[in-house]
Amino acid sequence: MTTTEYLDRAIEVAEEMLLAPAAPRRSDKDRLADCVKFVGRPEPAAESQQSFAEQLTHLAKLLGALGMKTLSLNVAGTTLRHMEISEADREVYGASVWNELGALLAEHGELERSKLVLCCALSRAKRGSNVPERGRILANLGAVSLRMGDIADADVWAGKALRELDTYWGDEDDEARMTADWVLLEVARSRKDIAQLNVAMDQFGRSADDVIRFKGGDHPTAIAARRALATAKFETAAATHDVERSEHQLSQMEIVKLNASALLGARHRETIVAQAALAVAEFDAASGGSGSLLRRQRAVCLLETAEEMAVEVLGRGHAQTLAIREALAHLREATVQTDDLPYLIDHTYTPQENDIRNEAKRAAIDAENNVIRLIAHAGASYFLDDLDIFYWQIRRALQRGALFHVILSSPWNNLAIFMHHGTESDRACENIVDRVKASDYYRKTYRPVIRSYLALRKEFPGQVELKLTPTDLSGSTLITSQVSFFEPYITTNPQHRTRRGLMVFEHRFRKDSKYYADSLAAFLAQWELTSTWEQFGVNEEQHKGRLRSLLATQSDDRLSKSDDDSESGEGFTGGAGHRP
């Protein structure tokens, strides 16, 4: 069989499995996987490569609908790589192919790649064409931006999509219009603008009705639309303190969830999202009155179940799973005592994921409007603009009015003794301070960090405060209102604790983790016990003296140990040689 024949066969098998009355068996999925194994990429010179790419995207969608996510992503990735290679020196694929692939990547939670592909699609969609492709692409860009948390961008893309669709006089694209209206609905919800929300609900209700009439009430899109509308109506009623209407909309959300479970199955994404939305609404509705705590606890349990299903079905890193996880953190924090919080690690970054780790930290800083707390050996990544790691995110946070509280190691902390190398202990004790001052750490990191701190403190008075500790820090900790990051140090060399990438691993905890609570408690305790910059300056000579004393004590210990070993050895030899 040729590659095209294998592709046709794979699509045929996948469609049969989707249309079958019973759920696909393991053997059926294995048979389909065998077909996909022989589906290659379209030949670069083939005239029909655009059609082939469209079929590959269609196959990837079918695989996703069958729950074969990994295989679906593999096919989508193969298609994307080939399209990028084929278009290195010429345009081959039309806007519709890029748009379909971008939408598929978004379904899998690959939002960054999806946005890039959709932007490529937009560059191919010509204005005034006979097909309203630009409107579809713009609507998809709005939806992807929304899921990425870029509310302002989502608003702009959705507005452009509607204007594009309004100027098109051909067949109306109901689904693209509904997507754009949906984005504007979610934008209004996020901004808590009741007037805007009422307008958006009316527009979305009309466009959703058109899509539901066309697709049928049991279609996943129809269920998702009803869930979104019921959620918005509940929030509007709750904002106006209309308890009766709130409870009515809450019951509508429960009906949507039950319908999703019955029509799509408990493991379908829309069922999981509907359950999560219901749990959050139930939690919000349980304010005051007898039994409110029990009601909130039930809501948390409902959301915990949704989160477990999302991890199992969508994957831990899927955008929808992360959104549910964030909502659960808010709910759990409000109902669970600190000592009863679970020990949850949200993500562990390895050295190979250094860039991903940095992006996660940047996002956390960008989202903070209250207090950013940092414990670190030197803090270069946050204070030095030439490193271009977190400095500019810190500046933007300060411009928003956030506070930045930092605990750093004093250059004369107990770890500095590891800068000593040699055997002349007395001389080393005298010049250990000079050794520290001559080190790259002191000259290229510590002093520039202090200069940057003083400059920021002058520019943002009352917002930036730095304290210094004379003890060694076991690792760096970044704490925001929502998440905490902890990276342990495994090296005792101060030179290797700064101006470097991730060397061991880094844990991220959300605020509903006991790890987060313990990290915050540890920071606050150290904050009370450490010296301010001014206090440190007054007593700096004493800190230097303590470092000299510490090194002298360590040297004495080593010499004493050598003397003890020598005496013990002599005594043993004499005893062994003694004869009665």
Side-chain angles (χ1 to χ4, degrees), residues 322-372:
L322 296 177
I324 293 174
R325 182 73 185 82
E326 185 174 353
L328 178 59
H330 286 288
L331 270 58
R332 190 180 276 148
E333 182 195 31
T335 55
V336 180
Q337 295 296 319
T338 299
D339 290 341
D340 296 328
L341 287 170
Y343 283 97
L344 296 174
I345 296 176
D346 189 54
H347 189 84
T348 297
Y349 301 95
T350 61
Q352 293 79 12
E353 299 173 301
N354 186 63
D355 291 341
I356 301 174
R357 182 274 304 253
N358 287 347
E359 282 302 318
K361 282 189 168 183
R362 292 187 189 105
I365 297 170
D366 284 338
E368 184 57 56
N369 294 313
N370 189 12
V371 185
I372 300 166

Short mmCIF file of all heavy atoms in Angstrom, two decimals, residues 322-372:
data_model
loop_
_atom_site.label_atom_id
_atom_site.label_comp_id
_atom_site.label_asym_id
_atom_site.label_seq_id
_atom_site.Cartn_x
_atom_site.Cartn_y
_atom_site.Cartn_z
N LEU A 322 -4.85 23.12 33.83
CA LEU A 322 -4.22 24.16 34.63
C LEU A 322 -5.25 25.16 35.14
O LEU A 322 -5.16 25.65 36.28
CB LEU A 322 -3.15 24.88 33.81
CG LEU A 322 -1.96 24.02 33.37
CD1 LEU A 322 -1.01 24.82 32.50
CD2 LEU A 322 -1.22 23.45 34.57
N ALA A 323 -6.26 25.48 34.30
CA ALA A 323 -7.31 26.41 34.74
C ALA A 323 -8.12 25.81 35.88
O ALA A 323 -8.44 26.50 36.86
CB ALA A 323 -8.21 26.75 33.56
N ILE A 324 -8.45 24.53 35.78
CA ILE A 324 -9.19 23.85 36.85
C ILE A 324 -8.33 23.78 38.10
O ILE A 324 -8.81 24.01 39.22
CB ILE A 324 -9.62 22.45 36.40
CG1 ILE A 324 -10.65 22.55 35.27
CG2 ILE A 324 -10.22 21.65 37.56
CD1 ILE A 324 -11.03 21.22 34.64
N ARG A 325 -7.05 23.50 37.92
CA ARG A 325 -6.14 23.40 39.07
C ARG A 325 -6.04 24.73 39.80
O ARG A 325 -6.01 24.79 41.03
CB ARG A 325 -4.77 22.97 38.55
CG ARG A 325 -3.73 22.77 39.62
CD ARG A 325 -3.99 21.51 40.42
NE ARG A 325 -3.04 21.41 41.51
CZ ARG A 325 -3.15 22.03 42.67
NH1 ARG A 325 -4.18 22.81 42.93
NH2 ARG A 325 -2.24 21.88 43.60
N GLU A 326 -6.01 25.83 39.04
CA GLU A 326 -5.93 27.15 39.66
C GLU A 326 -7.22 27.47 40.43
O GLU A 326 -7.17 28.01 41.54
CB GLU A 326 -5.69 28.21 38.58
CG GLU A 326 -5.49 29.60 39.15
CD GLU A 326 -5.10 30.61 38.08
OE1 GLU A 326 -4.86 30.20 36.93
OE2 GLU A 326 -5.05 31.80 38.40
N ALA A 327 -8.37 27.12 39.84
CA ALA A 327 -9.64 27.34 40.54
C ALA A 327 -9.70 26.52 41.82
O ALA A 327 -10.18 26.99 42.86
CB ALA A 327 -10.80 26.98 39.61
N LEU A 328 -9.21 25.28 41.76
CA LEU A 328 -9.21 24.43 42.94
C LEU A 328 -8.33 25.01 44.04
O LEU A 328 -8.67 24.92 45.24
CB LEU A 328 -8.73 23.03 42.56
CG LEU A 328 -8.62 22.00 43.70
CD1 LEU A 328 -9.98 21.80 44.36
CD2 LEU A 328 -8.10 20.67 43.16
N ALA A 329 -7.22 25.61 43.67
CA ALA A 329 -6.34 26.22 44.67
C ALA A 329 -7.07 27.32 45.43
O ALA A 329 -6.93 27.45 46.65
CB ALA A 329 -5.09 26.77 43.99
N HIS A 330 -7.85 28.13 44.73
CA HIS A 330 -8.61 29.20 45.38
C HIS A 330 -9.64 28.62 46.35
O HIS A 330 -9.77 29.09 47.48
CB HIS A 330 -9.32 30.06 44.33
CG HIS A 330 -8.40 30.96 43.57
ND1 HIS A 330 -7.83 32.09 44.11
CD2 HIS A 330 -7.96 30.91 42.29
CE1 HIS A 330 -7.06 32.69 43.22
NE2 HIS A 330 -7.12 32.00 42.10
N LEU A 331 -10.36 27.62 45.90
CA LEU A 331 -11.41 27.03 46.73
C LEU A 331 -10.83 26.33 47.95
O LEU A 331 -11.32 26.49 49.07
CB LEU A 331 -12.25 26.05 45.91
CG LEU A 331 -13.47 26.62 45.18
CD1 LEU A 331 -13.09 27.72 44.21
CD2 LEU A 331 -14.20 25.51 44.43
N ARG A 332 -9.79 25.57 47.72
CA ARG A 332 -9.22 24.78 48.81
C ARG A 332 -8.61 25.70 49.88
O ARG A 332 -8.73 25.46 51.08
CB ARG A 332 -8.16 23.83 48.26
CG ARG A 332 -7.67 22.80 49.26
CD ARG A 332 -6.64 21.92 48.61
NE ARG A 332 -7.22 20.82 47.85
CZ ARG A 332 -6.70 20.29 46.76
NH1 ARG A 332 -5.60 20.79 46.26
NH2 ARG A 332 -7.28 19.28 46.15
N GLU A 333 -7.98 26.78 49.43
CA GLU A 333 -7.36 27.71 50.37
C GLU A 333 -8.41 28.33 51.30
O GLU A 333 -8.14 28.59 52.47
CB GLU A 333 -6.64 28.82 49.61
CG GLU A 333 -5.92 29.81 50.51
CD GLU A 333 -5.52 31.07 49.79
OE1 GLU A 333 -6.23 31.48 48.85
OE2 GLU A 333 -4.51 31.67 50.18
N ALA A 334 -9.62 28.55 50.77
CA ALA A 334 -10.67 29.20 51.54
C ALA A 334 -11.36 28.27 52.53
O ALA A 334 -12.05 28.74 53.44
CB ALA A 334 -11.71 29.80 50.59
N THR A 335 -11.20 26.97 52.38
CA THR A 335 -11.94 26.03 53.22
C THR A 335 -11.07 25.13 54.07
O THR A 335 -11.55 24.56 55.05
CB THR A 335 -12.83 25.13 52.34
OG1 THR A 335 -12.03 24.47 51.36
CG2 THR A 335 -13.91 25.92 51.65
N VAL A 336 -9.79 24.99 53.73
CA VAL A 336 -8.93 24.04 54.43
C VAL A 336 -7.96 24.78 55.35
O VAL A 336 -7.35 25.77 54.93
CB VAL A 336 -8.14 23.17 53.42
CG1 VAL A 336 -7.25 22.17 54.15
CG2 VAL A 336 -9.10 22.45 52.48
N GLN A 337 -7.82 24.33 56.57
CA GLN A 337 -6.85 24.91 57.49
C GLN A 337 -5.43 24.63 56.98
O GLN A 337 -5.18 23.61 56.35
CB GLN A 337 -7.02 24.30 58.89
CG GLN A 337 -8.36 24.62 59.54
CD GLN A 337 -8.53 26.11 59.80
OE1 GLN A 337 -7.59 26.78 60.23
NE2 GLN A 337 -9.71 26.64 59.52
N THR A 338 -4.52 25.54 57.30
CA THR A 338 -3.15 25.44 56.80
C THR A 338 -2.52 24.08 57.11
O THR A 338 -1.89 23.46 56.25
CB THR A 338 -2.28 26.56 57.39
OG1 THR A 338 -2.82 27.82 56.98
CG2 THR A 338 -0.85 26.44 56.91
N ASP A 339 -2.71 23.60 58.35
CA ASP A 339 -2.09 22.34 58.74
C ASP A 339 -2.68 21.14 58.01
O ASP A 339 -2.07 20.07 57.97
CB ASP A 339 -2.24 22.12 60.25
CG ASP A 339 -1.36 23.09 61.04
OD1 ASP A 339 -0.42 23.64 60.44
OD2 ASP A 339 -1.64 23.30 62.24
N ASP A 340 -3.88 21.32 57.45
CA ASP A 340 -4.54 20.21 56.75
C ASP A 340 -4.35 20.24 55.24
O ASP A 340 -4.87 19.37 54.54
CB ASP A 340 -6.05 20.23 57.06
CG ASP A 340 -6.33 19.99 58.54
OD1 ASP A 340 -5.55 19.26 59.16
OD2 ASP A 340 -7.31 20.55 59.05
N LEU A 341 -3.63 21.23 54.74
CA LEU A 341 -3.40 21.31 53.30
C LEU A 341 -2.58 20.11 52.84
O LEU A 341 -1.68 19.64 53.55
CB LEU A 341 -2.66 22.60 52.94
CG LEU A 341 -3.46 23.90 53.02
CD1 LEU A 341 -2.54 25.10 52.87
CD2 LEU A 341 -4.57 23.94 51.98
N PRO A 342 -2.84 19.60 51.65
CA PRO A 342 -2.05 18.45 51.14
C PRO A 342 -0.67 18.90 50.67
O PRO A 342 -0.47 20.05 50.29
CB PRO A 342 -2.89 17.95 49.96
CG PRO A 342 -3.63 19.16 49.49
CD PRO A 342 -3.91 19.99 50.72
N TYR A 343 0.28 17.98 50.70
CA TYR A 343 1.62 18.26 50.18
C TYR A 343 1.60 18.04 48.67
O TYR A 343 1.85 16.94 48.19
CB TYR A 343 2.65 17.37 50.85
CG TYR A 343 3.01 17.79 52.25
CD1 TYR A 343 2.42 17.20 53.36
CD2 TYR A 343 3.94 18.80 52.46
CE1 TYR A 343 2.75 17.60 54.65
CE2 TYR A 343 4.29 19.21 53.74
CZ TYR A 343 3.69 18.61 54.83
OH TYR A 343 4.02 19.02 56.10
N LEU A 344 1.30 19.09 47.93
CA LEU A 344 1.16 18.99 46.47
C LEU A 344 2.31 19.70 45.77
O LEU A 344 2.63 20.85 46.10
CB LEU A 344 -0.17 19.62 46.03
CG LEU A 344 -1.46 18.96 46.54
CD1 LEU A 344 -2.67 19.79 46.11
CD2 LEU A 344 -1.58 17.55 46.00
N ILE A 345 2.92 19.03 44.82
CA ILE A 345 3.91 19.65 43.94
C ILE A 345 3.23 19.82 42.59
O ILE A 345 2.85 18.85 41.94
CB ILE A 345 5.17 18.79 43.81
CG1 ILE A 345 5.88 18.69 45.16
CG2 ILE A 345 6.12 19.38 42.75
CD1 ILE A 345 7.08 17.76 45.15
N ASP A 346 3.08 21.07 42.18
CA ASP A 346 2.36 21.34 40.94
C ASP A 346 3.19 20.95 39.72
O ASP A 346 2.65 20.42 38.75
CB ASP A 346 1.99 22.82 40.87
CG ASP A 346 1.06 23.15 39.72
OD1 ASP A 346 0.01 22.50 39.63
OD2 ASP A 346 1.40 24.03 38.91
N HIS A 347 4.49 21.19 39.78
CA HIS A 347 5.36 20.82 38.65
C HIS A 347 6.81 20.79 39.14
O HIS A 347 7.19 21.54 40.03
CB HIS A 347 5.24 21.85 37.51
CG HIS A 347 5.93 21.41 36.25
ND1 HIS A 347 5.33 20.59 35.33
CD2 HIS A 347 7.17 21.65 35.78
CE1 HIS A 347 6.17 20.36 34.33
NE2 HIS A 347 7.30 20.99 34.58
N THR A 348 7.60 19.89 38.57
CA THR A 348 9.03 19.82 38.85
C THR A 348 9.79 20.07 37.55
O THR A 348 9.59 19.36 36.56
CB THR A 348 9.43 18.45 39.43
OG1 THR A 348 8.76 18.25 40.68
CG2 THR A 348 10.93 18.38 39.65
N TYR A 349 10.64 21.08 37.56
CA TYR A 349 11.43 21.43 36.38
C TYR A 349 12.83 20.82 36.52
O TYR A 349 13.44 20.89 37.58
CB TYR A 349 11.56 22.95 36.24
CG TYR A 349 10.24 23.67 36.12
CD1 TYR A 349 9.62 24.21 37.24
CD2 TYR A 349 9.61 23.81 34.89
CE1 TYR A 349 8.41 24.86 37.14
CE2 TYR A 349 8.40 24.46 34.78
CZ TYR A 349 7.80 24.99 35.91
OH TYR A 349 6.59 25.63 35.81
N THR A 350 13.32 20.24 35.46
CA THR A 350 14.67 19.69 35.41
C THR A 350 15.57 20.66 34.65
O THR A 350 15.08 21.59 34.00
CB THR A 350 14.66 18.32 34.72
OG1 THR A 350 14.20 18.49 33.36
CG2 THR A 350 13.74 17.34 35.45
N PRO A 351 16.90 20.46 34.70
CA PRO A 351 17.79 21.38 33.98
C PRO A 351 17.47 21.49 32.49
O PRO A 351 17.70 22.55 31.89
CB PRO A 351 19.17 20.75 34.21
CG PRO A 351 19.05 20.09 35.53
CD PRO A 351 17.66 19.53 35.57
N GLN A 352 16.92 20.42 31.90
CA GLN A 352 16.56 20.48 30.48
C GLN A 352 15.37 21.42 30.24
O GLN A 352 15.10 21.81 29.10
CB GLN A 352 16.23 19.08 29.95
CG GLN A 352 17.40 18.13 29.90
CD GLN A 352 17.74 17.53 31.25
OE1 GLN A 352 16.96 17.64 32.19
NE2 GLN A 352 18.89 16.89 31.36
N GLU A 353 14.66 21.77 31.31
CA GLU A 353 13.48 22.64 31.20
C GLU A 353 13.74 24.03 31.77
O GLU A 353 12.83 24.71 32.23
CB GLU A 353 12.30 22.01 31.93
CG GLU A 353 11.88 20.65 31.41
CD GLU A 353 10.83 20.00 32.28
OE1 GLU A 353 11.11 19.77 33.48
OE2 GLU A 353 9.74 19.72 31.77
N ASN A 354 14.99 24.46 31.72
CA ASN A 354 15.35 25.75 32.31
C ASN A 354 14.54 26.90 31.69
O ASN A 354 14.05 27.78 32.41
CB ASN A 354 16.84 26.01 32.14
CG ASN A 354 17.29 27.26 32.86
OD1 ASN A 354 17.21 27.35 34.08
ND2 ASN A 354 17.76 28.24 32.11
N ASP A 355 14.41 26.90 30.36
CA ASP A 355 13.67 27.98 29.69
C ASP A 355 12.19 27.96 30.09
O ASP A 355 11.58 29.02 30.29
CB ASP A 355 13.80 27.87 28.17
CG ASP A 355 15.21 28.17 27.70
OD1 ASP A 355 15.97 28.80 28.47
OD2 ASP A 355 15.56 27.77 26.58
N ILE A 356 11.62 26.76 30.19
CA ILE A 356 10.21 26.64 30.59
C ILE A 356 10.04 27.12 32.02
O ILE A 356 9.07 27.82 32.36
CB ILE A 356 9.74 25.18 30.45
CG1 ILE A 356 9.90 24.70 29.01
CG2 ILE A 356 8.31 25.02 30.92
CD1 ILE A 356 9.60 23.23 28.82
N ARG A 357 11.00 26.77 32.89
CA ARG A 357 10.98 27.23 34.28
C ARG A 357 10.99 28.75 34.33
O ARG A 357 10.21 29.38 35.06
CB ARG A 357 12.19 26.63 35.02
CG ARG A 357 12.31 26.97 36.51
CD ARG A 357 13.04 28.30 36.78
NE ARG A 357 14.36 28.39 36.21
CZ ARG A 357 15.50 28.34 36.92
NH1 ARG A 357 15.43 28.17 38.21
NH2 ARG A 357 16.66 28.49 36.33
N ASN A 358 11.87 29.38 33.54
CA ASN A 358 11.96 30.83 33.54
C ASN A 358 10.67 31.48 33.06
O ASN A 358 10.24 32.50 33.61
CB ASN A 358 13.14 31.28 32.67
CG ASN A 358 14.48 30.99 33.33
OD1 ASN A 358 14.55 30.69 34.53
ND2 ASN A 358 15.56 31.07 32.56
N GLU A 359 10.06 30.90 32.04
CA GLU A 359 8.79 31.44 31.54
C GLU A 359 7.70 31.36 32.60
O GLU A 359 6.88 32.27 32.75
CB GLU A 359 8.36 30.70 30.27
CG GLU A 359 9.10 31.12 29.02
CD GLU A 359 8.97 32.61 28.74
OE1 GLU A 359 7.86 33.16 28.89
OE2 GLU A 359 10.00 33.24 28.41
N ALA A 360 7.67 30.25 33.35
CA ALA A 360 6.67 30.10 34.41
C ALA A 360 6.88 31.15 35.50
O ALA A 360 5.91 31.72 36.02
CB ALA A 360 6.75 28.70 34.99
N LYS A 361 8.13 31.44 35.83
CA LYS A 361 8.40 32.46 36.85
C LYS A 361 8.03 33.85 36.33
O LYS A 361 7.47 34.67 37.07
CB LYS A 361 9.88 32.42 37.23
CG LYS A 361 10.26 31.29 38.18
CD LYS A 361 11.68 31.46 38.66
CE LYS A 361 11.99 30.53 39.81
NZ LYS A 361 13.35 30.72 40.34
N ARG A 362 8.32 34.10 35.08
CA ARG A 362 7.94 35.41 34.51
C ARG A 362 6.43 35.61 34.56
O ARG A 362 5.95 36.69 34.89
CB ARG A 362 8.45 35.52 33.07
CG ARG A 362 9.96 35.61 32.95
CD ARG A 362 10.39 35.88 31.52
NE ARG A 362 11.83 35.76 31.36
CZ ARG A 362 12.46 34.77 30.78
NH1 ARG A 362 11.77 33.76 30.26
NH2 ARG A 362 13.77 34.73 30.70
N ALA A 363 5.71 34.55 34.20
CA ALA A 363 4.24 34.64 34.22
C ALA A 363 3.73 34.89 35.64
O ALA A 363 2.79 35.67 35.85
CB ALA A 363 3.63 33.35 33.66
N ALA A 364 4.34 34.24 36.62
CA ALA A 364 3.92 34.42 38.01
C ALA A 364 4.18 35.86 38.48
O ALA A 364 3.33 36.46 39.16
CB ALA A 364 4.66 33.44 38.91
N ILE A 365 5.32 36.42 38.11
CA ILE A 365 5.63 37.80 38.49
C ILE A 365 4.70 38.77 37.78
O ILE A 365 4.19 39.73 38.37
CB ILE A 365 7.11 38.12 38.18
CG1 ILE A 365 8.03 37.23 39.02
CG2 ILE A 365 7.41 39.59 38.44
CD1 ILE A 365 9.49 37.30 38.62
N ASP A 366 4.45 38.50 36.49
CA ASP A 366 3.57 39.39 35.72
C ASP A 366 2.15 39.41 36.27
O ASP A 366 1.43 40.40 36.11
CB ASP A 366 3.54 38.96 34.25
CG ASP A 366 4.80 39.37 33.50
OD1 ASP A 366 5.47 40.31 33.95
OD2 ASP A 366 5.11 38.74 32.47
N ALA A 367 1.74 38.31 36.90
CA ALA A 367 0.37 38.23 37.42
C ALA A 367 0.24 38.82 38.83
O ALA A 367 -0.88 38.93 39.33
CB ALA A 367 -0.09 36.77 37.44
N GLU A 368 1.35 39.20 39.44
CA GLU A 368 1.31 39.65 40.85
C GLU A 368 1.09 41.15 40.97
O GLU A 368 1.79 41.94 40.34
CB GLU A 368 2.62 39.27 41.54
CG GLU A 368 2.66 39.59 43.01
CD GLU A 368 1.52 38.93 43.76
OE1 GLU A 368 1.40 37.69 43.68
OE2 GLU A 368 0.75 39.65 44.40
N ASN A 369 0.13 41.52 41.79
CA ASN A 369 -0.13 42.94 42.06
C ASN A 369 0.03 43.28 43.54
O ASN A 369 -0.21 44.42 43.93
CB ASN A 369 -1.56 43.30 41.62
CG ASN A 369 -1.75 43.20 40.13
OD1 ASN A 369 -0.92 43.70 39.36
ND2 ASN A 369 -2.82 42.56 39.69
N ASN A 370 0.42 42.30 44.34
CA ASN A 370 0.50 42.52 45.79
C ASN A 370 1.96 42.50 46.26
O ASN A 370 2.62 43.53 46.26
CB ASN A 370 -0.34 41.47 46.51
CG ASN A 370 -0.49 41.78 47.98
OD1 ASN A 370 -0.16 42.86 48.43
ND2 ASN A 370 -0.96 40.81 48.73
N VAL A 371 2.45 41.33 46.68
CA VAL A 371 3.82 41.23 47.20
C VAL A 371 4.56 40.09 46.52
O VAL A 371 4.04 38.98 46.41
CB VAL A 371 3.83 40.97 48.73
CG1 VAL A 371 5.26 41.00 49.26
CG2 VAL A 371 2.99 42.01 49.46
N ILE A 372 5.78 40.38 46.06
CA ILE A 372 6.68 39.37 45.53
C ILE A 372 7.77 39.16 46.57
O ILE A 372 8.44 40.12 46.99
CB ILE A 372 7.31 39.81 44.19
CG1 ILE A 372 6.22 40.06 43.15
CG2 ILE A 372 8.31 38.78 43.69
CD1 ILE A 372 6.71 40.80 41.93
#
